[in-house]
Amino acid sequence: MATRVALVGAGGIGGYHFDQLRKYIGEHPGTVELVGVADVAEERAAELARRAGCAAYTSHVEMYEREKPQAIFVGIPPFAHNDQETAAAERGIHIFVQKPPAVTLAKAREIEAVIARSGVISAVGFQDRYLDVVDEARQALAGKRVGLAMGYWMGGMPGVPWWRVRAQSGGQAVEQTIHIFDTARYLFGEAETVTGAATAGLMTEVPNYDVDDASAMTIHFANGVLCTIFSACYLRGAPGKAGLDVYGQDLRVEYSLRSRVRISRRGETREVEHRNDNDLDCVRTFLEAVQSGDRSAIRSPYADAVKSLELPLAGHASVDSGRVVQLG
Ligand SMILES: NC(=O)c1ccc[n+]([C@@H]2O[C@H](COP(=O)([O-])OP(=O)(O)OC[C@H]3O[C@@H](n4cnc5c(N)ncnc54)[C@H](O)[C@@H]3O)[C@@H](O)[C@H]2O)c1
């Protein structure tokens, strides 16, 4: 029997969830049925539901009650996470949710606790964990002592209106650079402290803008790695750059976001281009876990993603207090 799947959020990433599901159904006909789309914006729900050939709702709870989905894909702005996940978990509905899992740690931990109690399967849209080139970086670094790493997401400001408001998006470190924080955790393990600095003043003419233009957050990992992650959202025309450079004693690993990894050792350099469809692999892993009941292949369950959210939020707390923030 086909797994009944519904979408919560029909904006940019809602369309992406639909496209990934269509790809999956194309590969595995009859295994997944799209049964509903919910969005607080009625016309957005209606438009995506029309494309998907299913029912549209403005209330996710009504959709859960009527359509009885077995799994949902949640793609809503960070501040909008309220009971979309908890109401699903309480009904035994499995949850795929976009990063960042929330805009505050308190909200993310509240959702995490309900998901844990319910036993439903969860996955967060950290699709970079499924990149072939991130696997290459992990293999190259396995067992190696690393001193320093530098991560960066230097870009412009996304156009959606909620993005420029810190209380709604969390700002660049939380909203986009979180992919780099998550990759750093995937490579180096858990962190002990975070220290942050931030600057603003370049984006004076953008209405309602109260996020930092740029920040630098230094993470001390328990294994000794010192990693500074830079975030910028003020570029306009200047070419952006995102990735993570890692320095061991006899090894340098340079990961360019979603494109390649360059591994240099004692005069020899190997460059590997990204080839796999990691977006689909991320979605496929969740769907197959729902179908089989075996969640062991999911690389970013909800509780793990909350730990990645903790890093940039600790960085902001450090910026605000001027102190080093201890984790755990
Ligand atoms: N994994 C990735 O690489 C990736 C890429 C893009 C976006 N995202 C994430 O997806 C999320 C959404 O981003 P987006 O670009 O789709 O934003 P968007 O503004 O394009 O769409 C958000 C949609 O959510 C709807 N919405 C708001 N509150 C809602 C609620 N309470 N219930 C149901 N729907 C609600 C809005 O009406 C809108 O249609 C963000 O957390 C973003 O970080 C992830």
Side-chain angles (χ1 to χ4, degrees):
M1 265 233 303
T3 305
R4 297 172 66 77
V5 172
L7 304 181
V8 180
I13 206 76
Y16 163 96
H17 287 153
F18 173 57
D19 290 341
Q20 300 308 317
L21 285 165
R22 256 202 318 204
K23 261 198 262 177
Y24 183 83
I25 293 167
E27 277 183 5
H28 304 89
T31 56
V32 168
E33 183 191 0
L34 207 48
V35 296
V37 176
D39 195 299
V40 290
E42 191 172 359
E43 67 289 358
R44 286 197 174 189
E47 170 57 18
L48 192 56
R50 186 192 59 72
R51 287 175 61 208
C54 63
Y57 292 86
T58 51
S59 156
H60 53 278
V61 173
E62 190 188 339
M63 178 173 76
Y64 300 164
E65 287 295 317
R66 287 226 198 149
E67 301 296 341
K68 306 267 185 264
Q70 292 159 284
I72 52 165
F73 283 73
V74 183
I76 59 177
F79 73 93
H81 292 275
N82 184 14
D83 69 340
Q84 294 85 357
E85 296 88 357
T86 53
E90 282 156 359
R91 289 167 174 78
I93 301 169
H94 305 292
I95 300 163
F96 184 104
V97 56
Q98 275 305 325
K99 45 54 62 176
V103 82
T104 67
L105 209 51
K107 186 69 200 175
R109 289 209 167 121
E110 177 197 320
I111 297 169
E112 177 188 347
V114 176
I115 289 177
R117 256 200 322 274
S118 72
V120 298
I121 293 168
S122 65
V124 175
F126 281 124
Q127 71 273 19
D128 299 351
R129 287 194 174 211
Y130 297 83
L131 282 165
D132 47 7
V133 291
V134 168
D135 286 342
E136 290 277 349
R138 259 165 76 95
Q139 276 162 28
L141 290 166
K144 295 282 181 188
R145 294 281 315 271
V146 168
L148 276 177
M150 284 171 284
Y152 37 87
W153 190 299
M154 315 296 289
M157 185 190 76
V160 283
W162 51 265
W163 200 94
R164 64 198 64 178
V165 181
R166 177 160 155 185
Q168 299 191 3
S169 71
Q172 180 72 315
V174 169
E175 219 284 328
Q176 295 199 102
T177 318
I178 194 167
H179 283 295
I180 304 295
F181 286 93
D182 183 67
T183 301
R185 272 192 60 245
Y186 196 48
L187 296 178
F188 308 133
E190 296 312 335
E192 289 184 337
T193 66
V194 184
T195 316
T199 189
L202 286 150
M203 301 281 274
T204 45
E205 75 293 1
V206 180
N208 301 324
Y209 179 96
D210 74 349
V211 295
D212 297 325
D213 294 347
S215 65
M217 296 179 180
T218 299
I219 305 160
H220 211 152
F221 284 90
N223 65 358
V225 176
L226 199 57
C227 175
T228 297
I229 298 184
F230 300 91
S231 301
C233 66
Y234 64 85
L235 303 192
R236 281 187 195 144
K241 188 176 174 186
L244 188 63
D245 298 340
V246 185
Y247 289 81
Q249 280 183 309
D250 62 350
L251 173 77
R252 186 176 72 195
V253 175
E254 296 158 285
Y255 160 60
S256 301
L257 186 83
R258 298 165 196 163
S259 60
R260 74 185 64 82
V261 66
R262 189 182 297 127
I263 299 165
S264 309
R265 291 188 180 95
R266 299 176 192 275
E268 173 210 317
T269 295
R270 190 165 68 89
E271 193 162 291
V272 183
E273 297 290 328
H274 159 48
R275 289 191 186 284
N276 71 322
D277 188 345
N278 61 299
D279 297 272
L280 182 58
D281 289 344
C282 181
V283 164
R284 177 193 291 120
T285 305
F286 169 70
L287 289 172
E288 293 181 354
V290 168
Q291 287 155 0
S292 69
D294 175 3
R295 64 188 76 193
S296 59
I298 292 176
R299 297 187 179 186
S300 185
Y302 195 91
D304 189 277
V306 175
K307 291 185 182 161
S308 293
L309 174 65
E310 197 175 358
L311 299 185
L313 288 177
H316 281 309
S318 172
V319 172
D320 294 344
S321 67
R323 292 172 189 271
V324 175
V325 172
Q326 302 280 337
L327 300 177

